[in-house]
Amino acid sequence: MLGNHHARLARRFKSPRIRALLSFQDLYVGLSPYTAPGVFSLLAATEITDGVHYPLGGFGKVKEGLLGIAKQHGVNVRVSARVERIITANAAVAGVQLDGGEQLPTQLLITNRDVSMAYGLCDASSDKYKASWTRAKTQDDFQQYPNFYVHAPARTDPSAAPP
């Protein structure tokens, strides 16, 4: 599954149209099927077997729902506040400094910035995150802190997991 997606599909499907159909999901993450890892076949397989779902009312409803839940739990949410830097202490987030100098202490920070852009705002930033974008070719290539995506549909749909 570590080979490129197109090559993996070409082994199984002679038709370029079928290969294109089963690899367009690579575009979701900005990759070409010629460079995307073969494991991306799971995207097409999931869509074919489970379908594609959209939140009622659009993705804005997801944002509104998360904001409502956060506020119900006493979270102080700031939007449209330009963060100048992320303050760190002992290799953890300790706060943020907003444009204009205001500092806000925090133990948890949620951002929608690109990973590299967010790390670039950290006091004690390092380039270690860059290695997490390198595709592993052998077991020794796997990173200690890789980028990852978590999908746990059983949290909201118990039928998605075995009893």
Side-chain angles (χ1 to χ4, degrees):
M1 294 308 265
L2 296 177
N4 85 54
H5 195 190
H6 181 266
R8 292 282 178 181
L9 289 170
R11 290 181 189 170
R12 303 257 184 220
F13 303 99
K14 301 250 183 262
S15 168
R17 294 178 74 189
I18 296 295
R19 291 194 302 262
L21 174 73
L22 296 174
S23 64
F24 80 91
Q25 293 85 353
D26 299 339
L27 300 175
Y28 295 169
V29 292
L31 295 175
S32 157
Y34 304 102
T35 58
V39 73
F40 277 35
S41 291
L42 294 173
L43 289 171
T46 300
E47 287 184 0
I48 290 168
T49 59
D50 297 338
V52 177
H53 305 277
Y54 300 95
L56 294 175
F59 285 97
K61 290 290 186 184
V62 173
K63 177 193 69 161
E64 292 167 12
L66 289 172
L67 180 60
I69 292 168
K71 286 184 175 180
Q72 285 174 4
H73 287 86
V75 175
N76 178 12
V77 178
R78 293 266 186 120
V79 296
S80 301
R82 183 175 170 82
V83 174
E84 195 169 278
R85 71 184 179 104
I86 298 172
I87 303 164
T88 58
N90 300 321
V93 170
V96 295
Q97 179 177 323
L98 301 179
D99 193 23
E102 181 183 7
Q103 291 191 3
L104 304 170
T106 188
Q107 294 176 333
L108 177 68
L109 176 67
I110 299 172
T111 179
N112 67 343
R113 289 188 77 125
D114 218 38
V115 172
S116 61
M117 298 296 286
Y119 274 114
L121 292 176
C122 290
D123 285 342
S125 180
S126 75
D127 286 342
K128 288 182 182 177
Y129 73 91
K130 289 181 181 176
S132 70
W133 293 104
T134 304
R135 186 185 326 156
K137 294 185 174 102
T138 69
Q139 186 173 347
D140 294 335
D141 293 339
F142 284 100
Q143 299 299 314
Q144 183 176 2
Y145 300 105
N147 290 312
F148 65 94
Y149 169 76
V150 175
H151 179 66
R155 299 279 173 94
T156 57
D157 178 8
S159 70

